[in-house]
Amino acid sequence: MPERRTRKPPYTIDVVLLTPVRGQLAVLLCRVPEGRDKWTLPWEGPRTGEALDAAAGRITKSVLGEDAVWREQIGAFGDGKRHPSDTEISVGFVGLVPMGTPSPVGGVYAWFPIADIPQLAPRQRQLLDSAISMVRTRMDQSPVAFRLLPQMFTLTELQQMYEFLLARRLHKASFRRALHGAWLVEPTDEWRSEGRGRPAQLYRYAPRKRRPAQRGIRLDFMS
Amino acid sequence: MPERRTRKPPYTIDVVLLTPVRGQLAVLLCRVPEGRDKWTLPWEGPRTGEALDAAAGRITKSVLGEDAVWREQIGAFGDGKRHPSDTEISVGFVGLVPMGTPSPVGGVYAWFPIADIPQLAPRQRQLLDSAISMVRTRMDQSPVAFRLLPQMFTLTELQQMYEFLLARRLHKASFRRALHGAWLVEPTDEWRSEGRGRPAQLYRYAPRKRRPAQRGIRLDFMS
DNA sequence: TCAATAGTGTCTGTTAGACATTATGGA
DNA sequence: TCCATAATGTCTAACAGACACTATTGA
């Protein structure tokens, strides 16, 4: 996928694909053909007339076989940092892939848990950090946690995803109360038994229209 | 500022400078030399080795004489939309300028209220819309409203700025309670009398360290 | 004096978190 | 039976919004 073209593109589109793997966020990296154990984010140059977002979708399809279920632009990165393309800037996108999506075979691609990322070009490292930070901060404006789960999930799984992304424990009753009030999920008539306790009902993401919440102002900054 | 270079740059840096003018947000536009009544956002090509953010600061200084008090990257824009530079993409920045900053003289630059923007290149129009949207959504993570006010301001002015940016009325006592709890301002010993009523005390932005608020999760999305 | 604005105290309904309890399966 | 997990009801402290009140100036 980082197919080298003969001419250097004016910029690149780099895609950070994230999925949960064993209770951790993982990012899809691609083995650099020349390097022995060097890895890179999926990236390509633009095609003429193609929108940036469409290019990110195309790159995702070319590495995963299907598009991400959620995608957002992170921004432009450059600042003199190195990048495999040798371009001055790269436009970063973050895409979410549901848990359980099979890895592409062949050994060229692999999911790396974000706690254990191999060395990357500095610009891609910065891009990856921004992607993870964006996913964390967009959680309350976008259905990020839902998009990382399969179509049907238990409320405990959803809460664990929130707890993992927010890196803090949540209160079960409060979480479910908020979820109920937000009209974001609907129960299915399936249940899943996992080990000992009572089976959990499976839910699906099904947001319903509601008037935007009139909350008080938030002053959550320190500088 | 849009000084035409002989060679087309690989991309441009476009800056959306915003300031309040008569209770409205206004954006700084630059008259296009050739066109009779055509306007453009300040933009330039990159210089080698210069960080993107630094370039935005340089452009701001070159048009205003001083840098913005707050700046953030909006992202990369292209998608086949027209731009005066004829480049494929532009990296947008939004910068805030305190109320009362004098306009640059000469008639080349002018502040336009956002409700009354002249025709712009489509890419710049999209960039401007994103900038305004970003300022509105970043209000509770960044001291946006404070940066649009002069160094010293009354609490009523601050509340009016919030009300204007959020486009809704706020409760005076609640607003001040939240402000007090956030340790973001400190009173000065100056007062300002404005017309009839009791004079208002002037405050300055002086954020103090505090433990990050442990709020409940927010599910403020509908899709 | 009145009018207008600044600033604050109190009350109340809402909500997040703590805690307890019931429900329902497997071992 | 006991144990583990799901799911939910109740209590309480914190908080946002409503309202009223005092304070201080100009007209």
Side-chain angles (χ1 to χ4, degrees):
Chain A
M1 171 278 336
E3 53 180 70
R4 297 301 186 276
R5 296 168 185 290
T6 47
R7 295 190 42 215
K8 184 176 91 170
Y11 60 93
T12 68
I13 292 125
D14 293 38
V15 182
V16 179
L17 293 171
L18 298 173
T19 202
V21 173
R22 284 185 298 279
Q24 267 227 322
L25 265 195
V27 59
L28 190 74
L29 298 182
C30 169
R31 196 189 297 275
V32 175
E34 308 95 57
R36 185 199 306 279
D37 205 42
K38 297 177 70 175
W39 299 83
T40 173
L41 291 175
W43 65 267
E44 274 193 40
R47 296 191 181 165
T48 52
E50 185 184 42
L52 289 169
D53 190 74
R58 168 173 58 81
I59 295 169
T60 303
K61 278 197 212 68
S62 84
V63 304
L64 272 185
E66 57 192 314
D67 201 354
V69 290
W70 183 85
R71 180 174 46 243
E72 196 151 324
Q73 193 195 121
I74 314 169
F77 294 79
D79 300 351
K81 290 192 158 64
R82 267 196 308 113
H83 185 275
S85 69
D86 209 43
T87 58
E88 249 191 276
I89 61 167
S90 302
V91 180
F93 282 84
V94 60
L96 300 184
V97 178
M99 186 168 74
T101 301
S103 261
V105 291
V108 180
Y109 303 101
W111 293 105
F112 284 84
I114 55 172
D116 188 31
I117 300 287
Q119 177 133 21
L120 292 174
R123 193 189 298 169
Q124 292 199 331
R125 177 76 231 191
Q126 188 189 12
L127 220 142
L128 172 57
D129 291 339
S130 296
I132 293 164
S133 159
M134 156 163 291
V135 165
R136 294 218 156 105
T137 60
R138 289 294 158 86
M139 284 192 57
D140 42 358
Q141 281 95 259
S142 295
V144 164
F146 300 86
R147 297 310 191 189
L148 289 169
L149 290 171
Q151 280 227 329
M152 286 168 58
F153 48 84
T154 69
L155 297 189
T156 300
E157 288 173 336
L158 181 63
Q159 181 176 343
Q160 284 170 344
M161 186 63 69
Y162 264 93
E163 289 178 335
F164 166 60
L165 292 173
L166 294 170
R168 71 184 174 98
R169 299 298 310 267
L170 296 175
H171 192 262
K172 182 161 81 164
S174 292
F175 180 78
R176 293 178 183 216
R177 235 184 338 222
L179 199 61
H180 188 262
W183 293 94
L184 290 176
V185 294
E186 67 182 16
T188 69
D189 43 10
E190 292 190 46
W191 300 72
R192 178 190 298 156
S193 191
E194 201 108 44
R196 275 251 241 179
R198 168 177 171 179
Q201 190 165 16
L202 291 177
Y203 286 76
R204 77 164 59 86
Y205 179 60
R208 284 169 60 171
K209 287 180 244 308
R210 59 205 156 93
R211 56 199 96 270
Q214 271 286 81
R215 295 197 206 286
I217 58 161
R218 309 261 156 230
L219 277 354
D220 289 346
F221 49 91
M222 282 178 272
S223 58
Chain B
M1 167 276 338
E3 53 181 69
R4 294 302 184 275
R5 298 169 184 288
T6 47
R7 296 190 40 213
K8 185 177 90 170
Y11 60 96
T12 69
I13 292 124
D14 292 38
V15 182
V16 179
L17 292 170
L18 298 173
T19 202
V21 172
R22 284 185 300 278
Q24 267 227 322
L25 266 195
V27 59
L28 189 74
L29 297 181
C30 170
R31 194 188 300 274
V32 174
E34 307 94 58
R36 184 200 307 280
D37 205 41
K38 297 177 70 174
W39 299 83
T40 172
L41 291 175
W43 64 269
E44 274 193 40
R47 298 191 181 165
T48 52
E50 186 184 43
L52 289 169
D53 189 74
R58 168 173 59 81
I59 295 169
T60 304
K61 280 197 211 69
S62 84
V63 305
L64 272 184
E66 58 191 313
D67 199 355
V69 289
W70 182 86
R71 179 174 46 241
E72 197 151 324
Q73 193 194 120
I74 314 169
F77 294 79
D79 300 350
K81 290 192 158 67
R82 265 196 309 111
H83 186 274
S85 68
D86 209 41
T87 57
E88 248 190 277
I89 61 167
S90 301
V91 180
F93 282 83
V94 58
L96 301 184
V97 178
M99 188 168 73
T101 301
S103 261
V105 292
V108 179
Y109 303 102
W111 292 105
F112 285 84
I114 55 172
D116 188 30
I117 301 287
Q119 177 132 21
L120 292 175
R123 192 189 299 170
Q124 293 199 330
R125 178 74 230 190
Q126 188 189 12
L127 220 144
L128 173 57
D129 292 339
S130 297
I132 293 164
S133 159
M134 156 163 292
V135 165
R136 296 216 155 108
T137 60
R138 288 293 158 88
M139 285 192 56
D140 42 357
Q141 282 95 260
S142 296
V144 164
F146 300 87
R147 297 310 190 189
L148 288 169
L149 291 170
Q151 280 228 326
M152 286 169 60
F153 49 85
T154 70
L155 297 190
T156 300
E157 289 173 336
L158 181 63
Q159 180 176 345
Q160 286 171 342
M161 187 63 69
Y162 265 93
E163 289 178 335
F164 165 61
L165 292 173
L166 294 171
R168 70 184 175 99
R169 300 297 310 267
L170 296 175
H171 191 263
K172 182 164 75 164
S174 292
F175 181 77
R176 292 177 185 219
R177 233 184 338 221
L179 200 61
H180 187 263
W183 292 96
L184 289 175
V185 295
E186 65 181 20
T188 70
D189 44 9
E190 291 190 48
W191 299 71
R192 178 191 299 156
S193 192
E194 201 110 44
R196 274 251 242 182
R198 169 176 168 179
Q201 190 165 17
L202 292 176
Y203 286 75
R204 77 164 60 86
Y205 179 59
R208 283 168 61 171
K209 285 179 249 307
R210 59 201 157 95
R211 55 198 97 269
Q214 271 289 78
R215 295 196 203 286
I217 58 160
R218 309 262 157 231
L219 275 357
D220 289 347
F221 48 92
M222 280 176 273
S223 57

